[in-house]
Amino acid sequence: MNNQTVKIKICGLSRPVDCAAVSASGADYAGFIFAPSRRQVSINLAQSLVRQLDVSVVPVGVFVDESDDYILQAVRQAGLAIVQLHGSPDPGKILRLRKALPKTIGIWQRIAVSLDLAAAEAFKQATADMRNLVQDAALPDAWLVDSCRKDQVGGTGETFNWAAFDQLDRSIPLVLAGGLNPDNVRQAIQMIQPDIVDASSGVESQGYKDQNKIEQFCSQVRQQHIKTN
């Protein structure tokens, strides 16, 4: 077994100061939300913010039910490197985007873990979504596993039952999201062994990104490693 450093994504950037904080922290990915949200950014704003990131930080666009054309425009104009799909898993959408996007652009698919269901039922539903995409040859470049509640589009800021999800499909990289913060991310890594951890509300104060919390989060993650064959 070899040890691999877990990568870090900070999501929901909407101000130049957020980009400065993420760049200074040494995070690997920066997320920009294009779907309706208090953190939503326009394509023009995202373009400006991406230019303010350190070149080592990979820009990720988060989309829910936006059209293919809108996603393609956002990728081209804002300079996104990864498309993160948060709508219901749709093989057709992934396959269409694969054909339309440059081969260098990655696609991540969110797999929602329901907080309204018992852990066993939530696991069954999440893994079924994964299998459906695999069967339709619509495999993304990474699964992003996040908590959700019924009739709520955005992230919950709540953790799901990590212990029930230690047997997720690991044939492709796993991004762990959902209520991660500087106080719980070490435990999450130890239990799930994700390739990437993703934080948003957990590194905020009064609804805005907090540079100190971002630095604390990154520091905690860097102390952890995942095992690889």
Side-chain angles (χ1 to χ4, degrees):
M1 287 287 191
N2 297 317
N3 285 333
Q4 175 180 313
T5 302
V6 181
K7 293 188 176 181
I8 302 164
K9 175 171 172 272
I10 305 297
C11 199
L13 279 60
S14 60
R15 306 173 300 163
V17 68
D18 300 338
C19 296
V22 169
S23 296
S25 72
D28 302 282
Y29 303 91
F32 300 92
I33 299 175
F34 292 87
S37 161
R38 65 179 176 84
R39 306 181 186 94
Q40 183 180 15
V41 295
S42 66
I43 294 178
N44 286 338
L45 177 56
Q47 179 183 29
S48 174
L49 294 173
V50 167
R51 288 173 175 171
Q52 297 177 58
L53 290 171
D54 187 87
V55 294
S56 65
V57 183
V58 178
V60 180
V62 180
F63 305 92
V64 178
D65 292 314
E66 286 72 30
S67 68
D68 296 0
D69 287 343
Y70 183 86
I71 293 173
L72 294 173
Q73 180 186 355
V75 169
R76 288 193 299 265
Q77 186 174 329
L80 305 175
I82 295 172
V83 169
Q84 182 177 312
L85 300 175
H86 267 240
S88 298
D90 180 354
K93 192 173 191 70
I94 292 178
L95 293 173
R96 290 194 306 272
L97 289 173
R98 283 280 189 221
K99 291 181 179 179
L101 288 167
K103 295 186 183 300
T104 55
I105 305 298
I107 298 176
W108 295 356
Q109 173 64 56
R110 180 208 194 197
I111 297 297
V113 177
S114 175
L115 298 176
D116 301 305
L117 300 175
E121 190 64 23
F123 178 79
K124 181 179 178 181
Q125 178 178 299
T127 51
D129 286 339
M130 289 180 168
R131 283 196 300 272
N132 289 340
L133 292 178
V134 173
Q135 290 168 0
D136 286 302
L139 196 65
D141 297 297
W143 305 118
L144 184 139
V145 185
D146 190 13
S147 55
C148 74
R149 287 198 178 278
K150 186 178 180 181
D151 301 325
Q152 182 174 337
V153 174
T156 64
E158 300 176 67
T159 60
F160 56 87
N161 186 339
W162 297 323
F165 284 78
D166 60 354
Q167 298 300 316
L168 282 171
D169 173 21
R170 303 305 296 271
S171 60
I172 62 175
L174 178 69
V175 185
L176 178 64
L180 296 180
N181 59 55
D183 296 324
N184 65 17
V185 69
R186 293 180 68 176
Q187 181 184 9
I189 291 171
Q190 291 166 5
M191 295 182 71
I192 298 292
Q193 297 281 292
D195 299 278
I196 303 168
V197 287
D198 185 340
S200 184
S201 61
V203 290
E204 292 180 347
S205 295
Q206 299 180 339
Y208 294 97
K209 292 294 178 286
D210 183 315
Q211 181 172 353
N212 289 332
K213 288 186 177 180
I214 291 174
E215 291 175 352
Q216 292 167 14
F217 183 84
C218 293
S219 176
Q220 291 296 321
V221 174
R222 290 193 192 98
Q223 296 176 44
Q224 305 301 302
H225 294 81
I226 60 173
K227 296 177 180 178
T228 58
N229 291 322

